[in-house]
Amino acid sequence: MRVYIKTYGCQMNESDTETMAGILSHEGFEIVDDVESADVVILNTCVVRQKSQDKYHSALGQLVKLKKQGKIKLIGIAGCGSNLEGERLLQLGADFVIGSRSIVEIANVLKRAVEGEKIVYLEDRTCDIVADLPKLRSTKHHAWITIIHGCNRFCTYCIVPYVRGRERSRPIQDVLKEIEGLTQQGVIEVTFLGQNVDAYGKDLKDGTSLAKLIEETSEFDRIKRIWFLTSYPTDITDELIDVVANNPKAAKSFHIPVQSGSDRILKLMNRRYTSAQFLKLVEKIRSKVQDVAISSDIIVGFPTESEEDYLQSVELVRQARFERLNLAVYSPRPGTVAAKYYPDDVPYSVKVKRLNELLNLQKQINAELNRSYLNRTVELFVEGKTKDGSHYGRDIRNKIVIFTAEKPLQPGECVRVKIDRVTAGPVYGKMI
Ligand code: SAH
Ligand code: SF4
Ligand code: F3S
C-alpha cells in the first residue's frame, strides 16, 4: 500500500512526518511523493491560524472527491488539527485521525483503518518517541530532532498548548543516542526543535539544559553544525549564550519571537517581558556572540492594538534590526483566552496595512544588512540545486547563499563561497 503524507505548519510537523514515514515504511508500507501515486493520503495539519486550518480543510475536501472517484482508498489526518477537531474530521470524510502526541501508533492506526474501522486516536504517547524509532528523512546530511514536546506558556492568542500539550523534554541520553545513530547515516547537521526549545530540560530537574546538549553534541566528530528553534526570550540563559558564542559548531543564529513592541500588548498576550527587556537581551547576545543573526516573529492587529501600539512594534523592529522577521496577522483561535475575552477589533484592512508596512521596513533592513556580505567568503554545506543549475546552502548565520561551482556538488559537501552580489533576500557568489 502506497502512502503520501502532506505536511503543513512548523518544523515540528516536518519532523513528525519523517517519523511517521519511517514507521510506516518499516511496517511494509511504501512512502510516495504525490497524491497521484498514493492509495492512502495523510494530511499532517496545522491550526496556528485560521488560514492554516482552512488550507487542510480544502485539501480534505479535494481528497474526499478523489476517494469517491476511486482514485485513493483512505484519508488520514495527523498533527495539531487532529487534536483540535478530533471526531469532526471523520464527519468531514477522514477515515482516521491521529493526534500530534500519538504518532508512534501510526502504523497500527492505519492497519485498523485498512480493515474498515473509523478511528480517532489522540492518546499521549510522547514517552514512546525515542531514539530507536525509524525515520525517513527528507535530507541526508541534516536531521530535525524534537527535544521538547508541547508548551507551558499559554500566550493568550496561541492554540499550541491546547493541541500539543504540556512541555516534556526527552532524556538527554536518548537524544544523544539518536545523534550517534544519525552520524552513522551520514548526518552532519542537526536542528534541535521545540516550541520553547530553550526550556529543554527544565521539567527533567536533573540539570539538563539546551546548553549542555549542544556541548555534548559537539563532541561527535561527524557533527559539524548545531541549530536550535524556537527560543522563548526569558528562557535564554547566559550559559546558552556563552555556548553559542564559544562552541565553533553552534550556529550563530537565534530565533526569538518578540510578538509586539508595545508593553501593553505584550501584557495582554501574556508574554512575560517588556520590549526594553527584549532589546536588552538582543544587545547582550550581540555583545557576546560575534556576528550573530537574530530573527523574530511579530503579530499585528492583536485585539485593541492601537496605532500607537503598532508604532512601538515598528520602533522595536528599527532598533533590533533582525536578520529575518516572520509577520502574521492576528487570527482568533478557538479556546484561547484572547478569542474568549478580547474583541478582534482591529479591522482586517488595518491589519494588512500594518503587516505590509512592517514587511517593507524589514526588507529595507535586510537590504542594508546584506551589504556587509559583499566580497566576504563564507563556508557552508551544500543543500541542493536551484532551477537554473546553481547550488544553494546556508552559512553559519542561516543566510541563504546561492552560488555557482565549476564541478558538480553533492548535498552535505562543505564549500567556501565568495559573495559577489546581494539582495534583500539571498546573497549570491562563486565557489572558491
Ligand atoms: N513558540 C513560539 C512560536 C510558536 S507559533 C513562540 O513562543 O513565539 C509560531 C508563530 O505563529 C508565533 O510566533 C506567532 O507569531 C504566530 N501565531 C501564533 N498564534 C497566532 C495567532 N493566533 N494569530 C496570528 N499569529 C499567531
Ligand atoms: Fe504559543 Fe506562546 Fe507557547 Fe509559543 S510560547 S507556542 S506562542 S503559547
Ligand atoms: Fe502549527 Fe502545530 Fe506547529 S499548530 S505551528 S503545526 S505546533
Side-chain angles (χ1 to χ4, degrees), residues 54 106-107 117 128 177 260 263 291 295 397:
D54 295 344
I106 185 66
E117 204 181 325
D128 302 316
K177 185 171 158 203
S260 172
D263 291 343
D291 207 20
S295 55
R397 310 174 69 244

Side-chain angles (χ1 to χ4, degrees), residues 16 50 70 86 89 101-102 133-134 155 168 173 181 194 243 245 262 277 297 302 352 370 374 392 426:
D16 289 348
Q50 184 61 44
L89 293 162
R101 287 169 90 106
S102 327
L133 286 181
C155 302
R168 187 190 288 236
Q173 289 317 324
V243 166
S262 154
Q277 284 164 340
D297 298 353
F302 187 81
V352 172
N370 280 359
L374 257 188
Y392 65 91

Side-chain angles (χ1 to χ4, degrees), residues 8-13 45-48 80 159-160 163-164 195:
Y8 300 85
C10 64
Q11 288 88 354
M12 218 95 62
N13 265 13
T45 60
C46 171
V47 289
V48 77
C80 298
I159 201 166
V160 170
V163 291
R164 285 263 167 187
Q195 284 301 347

Side-chain angles (χ1 to χ4, degrees), residues 48-49 157 195 230 257 259 271 297 299 328-331 333:
V48 77
R49 284 178 283 276
Y157 52 83
Q195 284 301 347
T230 297
Q259 311 299 7
R271 301 287 290 189
D297 298 353
I299 296 175
V329 160
Y330 170 70
S331 164
R333 302 313 293 134

Side-chain angles (χ1 to χ4, degrees), residues 211-282:
K212 235 181 221 150
L213 177 61
I214 295 172
E215 289 284 59
E216 298 215 13
T217 304
S218 71
E219 299 283 319
F220 290 98
D221 268 348
R222 292 192 187 169
I223 297 293
K224 306 293 181 210
R225 200 162 283 175
I226 305 163
W227 306 85
F228 55 93
L229 280 176
T230 297
S231 299
Y232 188 87
T234 57
D235 281 327
I236 294 180
T237 59
D238 287 346
E239 190 195 6
L240 177 63
I241 300 173
D242 289 340
V243 166
V244 173
N246 300 322
N247 192 312
K249 292 185 179 178
K252 310 306 168 202
S253 161
F254 281 85
H255 184 66
I256 326 170
V258 61
Q259 311 299 7
S260 172
S262 154
D263 291 343
R264 189 182 72 82
I265 296 291
L266 284 172
K267 205 162 190 181
L268 284 179
M269 287 176 160
N270 191 30
R271 301 287 290 189
R272 296 156 205 219
Y273 51 84
T274 62
S275 65
Q277 284 164 340
F278 181 87
L279 286 168
K280 224 169 143 187
L281 173 70
V282 166

Side-chain angles (χ1 to χ4, degrees), residues 2 28 102 126 139 145 151 161 211 251 325 339 349 379 395 418:
R2 291 159 304 186
S102 327
T126 37
T139 46
I145 304 179
C151 178
L325 183 59
S349 58
E379 196 179 77
D395 75 349
K418 172 111 190 258

